[in-house]
Short mmCIF file of all heavy atoms in Angstrom, two decimals:
data_model
loop_
_atom_site.label_atom_id
_atom_site.label_comp_id
_atom_site.label_asym_id
_atom_site.label_seq_id
_atom_site.Cartn_x
_atom_site.Cartn_y
_atom_site.Cartn_z
N CYS A 81 114.65 103.59 101.14
CA CYS A 81 113.86 102.54 101.81
C CYS A 81 114.60 101.82 102.94
O CYS A 81 114.43 100.62 103.14
CB CYS A 81 113.37 101.53 100.77
SG CYS A 81 112.15 102.22 99.65
N GLY A 82 115.41 102.56 103.69
CA GLY A 82 115.93 102.02 104.94
C GLY A 82 117.29 101.37 104.89
O GLY A 82 117.87 101.13 103.83
N ASP A 83 117.80 101.08 106.08
CA ASP A 83 119.13 100.49 106.30
C ASP A 83 120.24 101.30 105.64
O ASP A 83 121.13 100.76 104.98
CB ASP A 83 119.17 99.04 105.84
CG ASP A 83 118.58 98.09 106.87
OD1 ASP A 83 118.00 98.57 107.85
OD2 ASP A 83 118.70 96.86 106.68
N MET A 84 120.20 102.59 105.86
CA MET A 84 121.30 103.45 105.41
C MET A 84 122.47 103.38 106.39
O MET A 84 123.58 103.79 106.06
CB MET A 84 120.80 104.89 105.27
CG MET A 84 119.67 105.05 104.25
SD MET A 84 120.20 104.67 102.58
CE MET A 84 121.04 106.21 102.15
N VAL A 85 122.22 102.90 107.61
CA VAL A 85 123.25 102.77 108.64
C VAL A 85 123.47 101.29 108.93
O VAL A 85 122.78 100.42 108.39
CB VAL A 85 122.85 103.52 109.93
CG1 VAL A 85 122.63 105.00 109.65
CG2 VAL A 85 121.59 102.91 110.55
N ASN A 86 124.41 101.02 109.84
CA ASN A 86 124.68 99.66 110.28
C ASN A 86 124.28 99.49 111.74
O ASN A 86 124.59 100.33 112.59
CB ASN A 86 126.17 99.31 110.13
CG ASN A 86 126.51 98.80 108.75
OD1 ASN A 86 125.69 98.20 108.07
ND2 ASN A 86 127.73 99.06 108.33
N ARG A 87 123.62 98.39 112.01
CA ARG A 87 123.27 98.05 113.39
C ARG A 87 124.54 98.00 114.25
O ARG A 87 125.56 97.45 113.86
CB ARG A 87 122.58 96.68 113.42
CG ARG A 87 122.19 96.20 114.79
CD ARG A 87 121.74 94.75 114.78
NE ARG A 87 120.57 94.55 113.95
CZ ARG A 87 120.56 93.83 112.84
NH1 ARG A 87 121.69 93.28 112.39
NH2 ARG A 87 119.44 93.67 112.15
N GLY A 88 124.46 98.61 115.43
CA GLY A 88 125.59 98.58 116.35
C GLY A 88 126.56 99.73 116.18
O GLY A 88 127.49 99.88 116.98
N ASP A 89 126.38 100.54 115.15
CA ASP A 89 127.25 101.69 114.90
C ASP A 89 126.40 102.96 115.01
O ASP A 89 125.55 103.21 114.15
CB ASP A 89 127.87 101.59 113.51
CG ASP A 89 128.83 102.75 113.20
OD1 ASP A 89 128.94 103.66 114.04
OD2 ASP A 89 129.45 102.74 112.12
N PRO A 90 126.62 103.77 116.04
CA PRO A 90 125.76 104.94 116.26
C PRO A 90 126.04 106.11 115.31
O PRO A 90 125.26 107.07 115.30
CB PRO A 90 126.08 105.34 117.71
CG PRO A 90 127.49 104.88 117.92
CD PRO A 90 127.62 103.61 117.13
N ASP A 91 127.11 106.04 114.53
CA ASP A 91 127.50 107.17 113.67
C ASP A 91 126.53 107.29 112.50
O ASP A 91 126.33 106.33 111.73
CB ASP A 91 128.93 106.96 113.17
CG ASP A 91 129.46 108.18 112.43
OD1 ASP A 91 128.77 109.21 112.39
OD2 ASP A 91 130.57 108.09 111.86
N THR A 92 125.93 108.46 112.35
CA THR A 92 124.99 108.70 111.24
C THR A 92 125.57 109.66 110.20
O THR A 92 124.84 110.12 109.31
CB THR A 92 123.66 109.29 111.77
OG1 THR A 92 123.94 110.53 112.45
CG2 THR A 92 122.97 108.32 112.73
N THR A 93 126.87 109.93 110.28
CA THR A 93 127.48 110.94 109.40
C THR A 93 127.33 110.58 107.93
O THR A 93 126.94 111.43 107.10
CB THR A 93 128.97 111.11 109.74
OG1 THR A 93 129.10 111.47 111.11
CG2 THR A 93 129.59 112.19 108.87
N LYS A 94 127.64 109.35 107.56
CA LYS A 94 127.58 108.95 106.15
C LYS A 94 126.14 108.99 105.63
O LYS A 94 125.91 109.37 104.48
CB LYS A 94 128.21 107.57 105.96
CG LYS A 94 129.71 107.55 106.21
CD LYS A 94 130.29 106.15 106.07
CE LYS A 94 131.80 106.17 106.35
NZ LYS A 94 132.39 104.82 106.28
N MET A 95 125.20 108.58 106.47
CA MET A 95 123.79 108.66 106.08
C MET A 95 123.40 110.10 105.79
O MET A 95 122.79 110.41 104.76
CB MET A 95 122.90 108.09 107.18
CG MET A 95 121.41 108.21 106.90
SD MET A 95 120.36 107.92 108.35
CE MET A 95 120.58 109.46 109.26
N LYS A 96 123.80 111.01 106.69
CA LYS A 96 123.41 112.41 106.52
C LYS A 96 124.13 113.05 105.33
O LYS A 96 123.53 113.86 104.61
CB LYS A 96 123.69 113.19 107.81
CG LYS A 96 122.75 112.81 108.95
CD LYS A 96 122.85 113.74 110.14
CE LYS A 96 124.14 113.55 110.89
NZ LYS A 96 124.16 114.33 112.15
N ASP A 97 125.36 112.67 105.09
CA ASP A 97 126.10 113.21 103.95
C ASP A 97 125.37 112.90 102.64
O ASP A 97 125.19 113.79 101.79
CB ASP A 97 127.51 112.62 103.88
CG ASP A 97 128.45 113.24 104.91
OD1 ASP A 97 128.14 114.32 105.43
OD2 ASP A 97 129.51 112.63 105.18
N VAL A 98 124.96 111.66 102.48
CA VAL A 98 124.34 111.30 101.20
C VAL A 98 122.92 111.85 101.12
O VAL A 98 122.47 112.27 100.03
CB VAL A 98 124.37 109.77 100.97
CG1 VAL A 98 123.43 109.02 101.90
CG2 VAL A 98 124.04 109.44 99.52
N LEU A 99 122.20 111.89 102.22
CA LEU A 99 120.84 112.43 102.18
C LEU A 99 120.84 113.91 101.83
O LEU A 99 119.94 114.38 101.11
CB LEU A 99 120.12 112.19 103.50
CG LEU A 99 119.70 110.75 103.81
CD1 LEU A 99 119.01 110.67 105.16
CD2 LEU A 99 118.82 110.18 102.71
N LYS A 100 121.82 114.66 102.31
CA LYS A 100 121.94 116.07 101.92
C LYS A 100 122.11 116.20 100.42
O LYS A 100 121.48 117.06 99.78
CB LYS A 100 123.12 116.71 102.64
CG LYS A 100 122.90 116.96 104.12
CD LYS A 100 124.18 117.50 104.78
CE LYS A 100 124.00 117.66 106.28
NZ LYS A 100 125.26 118.08 106.95
N LYS A 101 122.96 115.37 99.85
CA LYS A 101 123.18 115.42 98.40
C LYS A 101 121.92 115.03 97.64
O LYS A 101 121.57 115.64 96.62
CB LYS A 101 124.34 114.51 98.01
CG LYS A 101 125.72 115.02 98.45
CD LYS A 101 126.81 114.07 98.01
CE LYS A 101 128.19 114.68 98.24
NZ LYS A 101 128.48 114.96 99.64
N LEU A 102 121.23 114.01 98.10
CA LEU A 102 120.00 113.58 97.41
C LEU A 102 118.92 114.64 97.50
O LEU A 102 118.22 114.91 96.51
CB LEU A 102 119.51 112.26 98.01
CG LEU A 102 120.42 111.04 97.85
CD1 LEU A 102 119.81 109.83 98.55
CD2 LEU A 102 120.69 110.73 96.38
N ALA A 103 118.78 115.26 98.67
CA ALA A 103 117.74 116.28 98.85
C ALA A 103 118.00 117.51 97.99
O ALA A 103 117.07 118.25 97.66
CB ALA A 103 117.64 116.67 100.32
N ASP A 104 119.26 117.74 97.62
CA ASP A 104 119.57 118.85 96.71
C ASP A 104 119.19 118.52 95.26
O ASP A 104 119.08 119.42 94.42
CB ASP A 104 121.08 119.17 96.76
CG ASP A 104 121.48 119.92 98.03
OD1 ASP A 104 120.58 120.50 98.68
OD2 ASP A 104 122.68 119.92 98.36
N ILE A 105 119.01 117.25 94.98
CA ILE A 105 118.65 116.81 93.62
C ILE A 105 117.14 116.87 93.40
O ILE A 105 116.64 117.38 92.40
CB ILE A 105 119.17 115.38 93.36
CG1 ILE A 105 120.70 115.36 93.40
CG2 ILE A 105 118.66 114.86 92.01
CD1 ILE A 105 121.29 113.97 93.44
N ALA A 106 116.41 116.32 94.38
CA ALA A 106 114.94 116.23 94.27
C ALA A 106 114.37 115.98 95.65
O ALA A 106 115.11 115.54 96.56
CB ALA A 106 114.55 115.09 93.31
N PRO A 107 113.07 116.23 95.86
CA PRO A 107 112.47 115.88 97.15
C PRO A 107 112.77 114.42 97.50
O PRO A 107 112.62 113.53 96.65
CB PRO A 107 110.97 116.11 96.91
CG PRO A 107 110.92 117.13 95.83
CD PRO A 107 112.10 116.84 94.94
N THR A 108 113.21 114.20 98.72
CA THR A 108 113.68 112.88 99.14
C THR A 108 112.89 112.41 100.35
O THR A 108 112.83 113.10 101.37
CB THR A 108 115.18 112.93 99.47
OG1 THR A 108 115.91 113.32 98.29
CG2 THR A 108 115.68 111.57 99.94
N TYR A 109 112.26 111.24 100.22
CA TYR A 109 111.40 110.69 101.26
C TYR A 109 111.97 109.35 101.72
O TYR A 109 112.38 108.52 100.91
CB TYR A 109 109.98 110.51 100.74
CG TYR A 109 109.41 111.80 100.20
CD1 TYR A 109 109.28 112.02 98.83
CD2 TYR A 109 109.03 112.83 101.07
CE1 TYR A 109 108.79 113.22 98.33
CE2 TYR A 109 108.52 114.03 100.57
CZ TYR A 109 108.41 114.21 99.21
OH TYR A 109 107.93 115.41 98.72
N CYS A 110 111.99 109.15 103.04
CA CYS A 110 112.64 107.98 103.62
C CYS A 110 111.67 107.20 104.51
O CYS A 110 110.75 107.77 105.10
CB CYS A 110 113.83 108.40 104.49
SG CYS A 110 115.00 109.53 103.71
N CYS A 111 111.92 105.91 104.63
CA CYS A 111 111.33 105.11 105.69
C CYS A 111 112.46 104.45 106.47
O CYS A 111 113.60 104.39 106.00
CB CYS A 111 110.35 104.07 105.15
SG CYS A 111 111.11 102.69 104.24
N LEU A 112 112.16 103.97 107.65
CA LEU A 112 113.17 103.32 108.47
C LEU A 112 113.34 101.86 108.07
O LEU A 112 112.38 101.20 107.66
CB LEU A 112 112.78 103.39 109.95
CG LEU A 112 112.70 104.78 110.59
CD1 LEU A 112 112.24 104.65 112.04
CD2 LEU A 112 114.02 105.51 110.49
N GLY A 113 114.57 101.36 108.23
CA GLY A 113 114.84 99.94 108.09
C GLY A 113 115.06 99.32 109.46
O GLY A 113 115.06 100.01 110.49
N ASN A 114 115.29 98.01 109.49
CA ASN A 114 115.49 97.35 110.78
C ASN A 114 116.78 97.80 111.46
O ASN A 114 116.85 97.84 112.70
CB ASN A 114 115.47 95.83 110.61
CG ASN A 114 116.47 95.31 109.60
OD1 ASN A 114 116.45 95.72 108.43
ND2 ASN A 114 117.35 94.41 110.02
N HIS A 115 117.80 98.19 110.70
CA HIS A 115 119.03 98.67 111.33
C HIS A 115 118.82 100.02 112.01
O HIS A 115 119.37 100.27 113.09
CB HIS A 115 120.16 98.74 110.29
CG HIS A 115 120.73 97.40 109.96
ND1 HIS A 115 122.02 97.03 110.25
CD2 HIS A 115 120.17 96.31 109.36
CE1 HIS A 115 122.24 95.79 109.84
NE2 HIS A 115 121.13 95.34 109.29
N GLU A 116 118.03 100.90 111.40
CA GLU A 116 117.70 102.16 112.07
C GLU A 116 116.86 101.91 113.32
O GLU A 116 117.11 102.52 114.37
CB GLU A 116 116.94 103.10 111.12
CG GLU A 116 117.81 103.78 110.07
CD GLU A 116 117.93 102.98 108.79
OE1 GLU A 116 117.18 101.99 108.63
OE2 GLU A 116 118.77 103.32 107.96
N ARG A 117 115.90 101.03 113.22
CA ARG A 117 115.06 100.74 114.39
C ARG A 117 115.90 100.17 115.53
O ARG A 117 115.72 100.54 116.71
CB ARG A 117 113.93 99.77 114.02
CG ARG A 117 112.94 100.30 113.00
CD ARG A 117 111.65 99.50 112.99
NE ARG A 117 111.85 98.08 112.82
CZ ARG A 117 111.89 97.46 111.63
NH1 ARG A 117 111.74 98.16 110.51
NH2 ARG A 117 112.05 96.16 111.56
N ASP A 118 116.82 99.27 115.20
CA ASP A 118 117.66 98.67 116.25
C ASP A 118 118.58 99.72 116.88
O ASP A 118 118.78 99.72 118.10
CB ASP A 118 118.50 97.54 115.66
CG ASP A 118 117.66 96.32 115.30
OD1 ASP A 118 116.49 96.26 115.72
OD2 ASP A 118 118.17 95.42 114.59
#
Side-chain angles (χ1 to χ4, degrees):
C81 292
D83 279 9
M84 299 296 280
V85 301
N86 274 330
R87 179 190 298 115
D89 182 356
D91 188 5
T92 60
T93 303
K94 293 178 181 177
M95 176 194 76
K96 290 190 289 187
D97 283 342
V98 71
L99 288 180
K100 287 176 184 175
K101 288 181 171 62
L102 296 178
D104 285 341
I105 296 168
T108 299
Y109 304 105
C110 310
C111 71
L112 296 178
N114 55 303
H115 283 245
E116 284 89 11
R117 296 197 307 270
D118 290 347

